[in-house]
Amino acid sequence: MSHPIRIAPSLLACDFAHLADELQRAEKAGADWHHVDVMDGNFVPNLSIGPPVVQAIRASGQIPLDVHLMITEPKKWADIYAKAGADVLTFHYEAAKDDFPATLEAYRATGCVVGVAVNPPCGVEPLRDYLDQIDMILVMSVHAGFGGQSFMPEVLDKVRQLRAWGYSGDIQIDGGVTDQTAPACIEAGANVLVAGTYLFRSVDMALAMRAMRVS
Ligand code: DX5
Ligand code: ZN
């Protein structure tokens, strides 16, 4: 089973005053998806962007939008972010666990590629019965909420566990991913790598991205 490696620069680390230029910089460097972090100041102790900015990114960007929702009550927001232009739409299991089947159904009904995210303390066991309905599992390698944190290698056990169960969807890693930490992620079975600080703070993003793919 081999999955194409995809790189998704996290716009959280970009220069928001020049958003269109930053989208272009990421695309020219070879990005596969734009990773868009939506934070509500409630599920996570940080606030970022909402539907109008997702819409603006949709209008300006040329590659798929991978929208990572770090919000409470995600079921309420599925249609709104789908309409704003998400191609891949990911909600957190922890935010939905009391209403998980219905939340998953609401996301499936949008027609987006559906992702489910877990923070470092949350195991993947609760997802096991639903694997055939989840297109992508986002294994957070930092605690969701902020860019620039250090990679937590222990979360890769969850990636190995998912592949051992035969999960054939995409597995995304998000948080502290660099050319140094990418190889272990890929080795464990992840195939979508999100990187914010490492890519947007690089002098040559194309080179930095290549280093993630080949290292
Ligand atoms: C954290 C976000 C990440 C973050 C990654 O809550 O989900 O996407 O921007 O940033 P880096 O790559 O700087 O850890
Ligand atoms: Zn993210």
Side-chain angles (χ1 to χ4, degrees):
M1 186 169 32
S2 106
H3 300 81
I5 303 295
R6 296 199 184 91
I7 311 274
S10 164
L11 292 166
L12 196 63
C14 84
D15 177 357
F16 279 112
H18 300 98
L19 186 49
D21 295 341
E22 292 288 68
L23 294 170
Q24 235 187 47
R25 177 157 78 108
E27 289 170 13
K28 280 195 179 138
D32 296 289
W33 296 348
H34 290 302
H35 183 83
V36 182
D37 289 301
V38 172
M39 304 179 181
D40 67 352
N42 190 8
F43 179 69
V44 290
N46 195 8
L47 195 60
S48 58
I49 61 166
V53 179
V54 173
Q55 235 173 322
I57 296 170
R58 165 78 294 151
S60 178
Q62 306 292 321
I63 57 175
L65 285 199
D66 167 34
V67 177
H68 175 193
L69 298 176
M70 287 162 271
I71 60 174
T72 50
E73 296 190 78
K75 194 171 74 179
K76 288 204 313 209
W77 295 92
D79 284 336
I80 293 166
Y81 282 98
K83 286 202 181 89
D87 296 287
V88 183
L89 197 48
T90 298
F91 64 95
H92 268 261
Y93 173 75
E94 303 92 324
K97 60 173 176 247
D98 297 335
D99 198 14
F100 186 67
T103 305
L104 187 56
E105 186 44 45
Y107 279 74
R108 292 228 64 87
T110 63
C112 293
V113 173
V114 175
V116 177
V118 287
N119 261 320
C122 182
V124 286
E125 289 73 19
L127 304 183
R128 192 168 183 179
D129 288 343
Y130 302 94
L131 294 181
D132 58 344
Q133 299 165 58
I134 303 174
D135 302 310
M136 182 176 85
I137 295 178
L138 164 48
V139 174
M140 290 299 299
S141 42
V142 299
H143 294 279
F146 298 91
Q149 305 179 70
S150 299
F151 183 78
M152 299 167 71
E154 60 272 27
V155 304
L156 296 181
D157 285 343
K158 291 189 270 188
V159 176
R160 285 185 273 268
Q161 178 68 84
L162 287 165
R163 292 301 185 210
W165 286 339
Y167 180 64
S168 59
D170 289 321
I171 300 184
Q172 182 174 51
I173 297 281
D174 182 7
V177 179
T178 67
D179 58 338
Q180 301 300 305
T181 54
C185 302
I186 294 168
E187 180 70 34
N191 66 302
V192 186
L193 304 179
V194 175
T197 308
Y198 168 70
L199 289 176
F200 279 101
R201 302 290 147 84
S202 64
V203 178
D204 184 338
M205 199 191 287
L207 206 66
M209 224 178 266
R210 269 203 299 280
M212 287 175 77
R213 290 186 198 276
V214 302
S215 51

